[in-house]
Amino acid sequence: MLKNCRGFSMAEALVSFSIWTMISLILLPASIYINKERANIKLNHEALIVLKEHIEDVEFDDSAKEKQGSFSNDTKFQILWKKEGESEHACIQWQDYVDRKEEKCLYYFGE
């Protein structure tokens, strides 16, 4: 039986190659997905902070409702005001890192 100079047989080399292939095909895409989801969670949190700050601005200056767009860290957030019956709420929209359109809303209890 022929062996290479390091003492590994062809079967051992094939098993090693198979294991590394499985790691590359399963773990690498999973880690990329986890990193994108982590970035989306940070973006979601940032959007809620921008919306909260916008609502606080409206508390002091009612003309701040007209402000529609806001940028933060190369992400464009769009703020919209919606009215349902007697209640009014501010919504923020943005594109996440996998190009999904996201929207979060907070109720506004101003006058």
mmCIF file of all heavy atoms in Angstrom, residues 51 97 104:
data_model
loop_
_atom_site.group_PDB
_atom_site.id
_atom_site.type_symbol
_atom_site.label_atom_id
_atom_site.label_comp_id
_atom_site.label_asym_id
_atom_site.label_seq_id
_atom_site.Cartn_x
_atom_site.Cartn_y
_atom_site.Cartn_z
ATOM 1 N N LEU A 51 -36.780 57.510 16.057
ATOM 2 C CA LEU A 51 -38.209 57.795 16.158
ATOM 3 C C LEU A 51 -38.538 58.443 17.503
ATOM 4 O O LEU A 51 -39.306 59.408 17.567
ATOM 5 C CB LEU A 51 -39.021 56.511 15.964
ATOM 6 C CG LEU A 51 -40.535 56.674 15.968
ATOM 7 C CD1 LEU A 51 -40.981 57.629 14.866
ATOM 8 C CD2 LEU A 51 -41.202 55.319 15.787
ATOM 9 N N TYR A 97 -30.466 45.225 6.114
ATOM 10 C CA TYR A 97 -29.282 44.758 5.385
ATOM 11 C C TYR A 97 -29.562 43.634 4.395
ATOM 12 O O TYR A 97 -28.690 43.287 3.617
ATOM 13 C CB TYR A 97 -28.196 44.328 6.377
ATOM 14 C CG TYR A 97 -27.582 45.508 7.077
ATOM 15 C CD1 TYR A 97 -27.825 45.748 8.420
ATOM 16 C CD2 TYR A 97 -26.770 46.388 6.385
ATOM 17 C CE1 TYR A 97 -27.259 46.841 9.057
ATOM 18 C CE2 TYR A 97 -26.210 47.486 7.007
ATOM 19 C CZ TYR A 97 -26.463 47.695 8.350
ATOM 20 O OH TYR A 97 -25.920 48.777 8.963
ATOM 21 N N LYS A 104 -41.658 50.419 12.123
ATOM 22 C CA LYS A 104 -42.015 50.385 13.540
ATOM 23 C C LYS A 104 -42.818 51.638 13.838
ATOM 24 O O LYS A 104 -42.548 52.710 13.297
ATOM 25 C CB LYS A 104 -40.773 50.362 14.443
ATOM 26 C CG LYS A 104 -39.917 49.150 14.290
ATOM 27 C CD LYS A 104 -40.583 47.950 14.900
ATOM 28 C CE LYS A 104 -39.664 46.746 14.728
ATOM 29 N NZ LYS A 104 -40.277 45.519 15.106
#
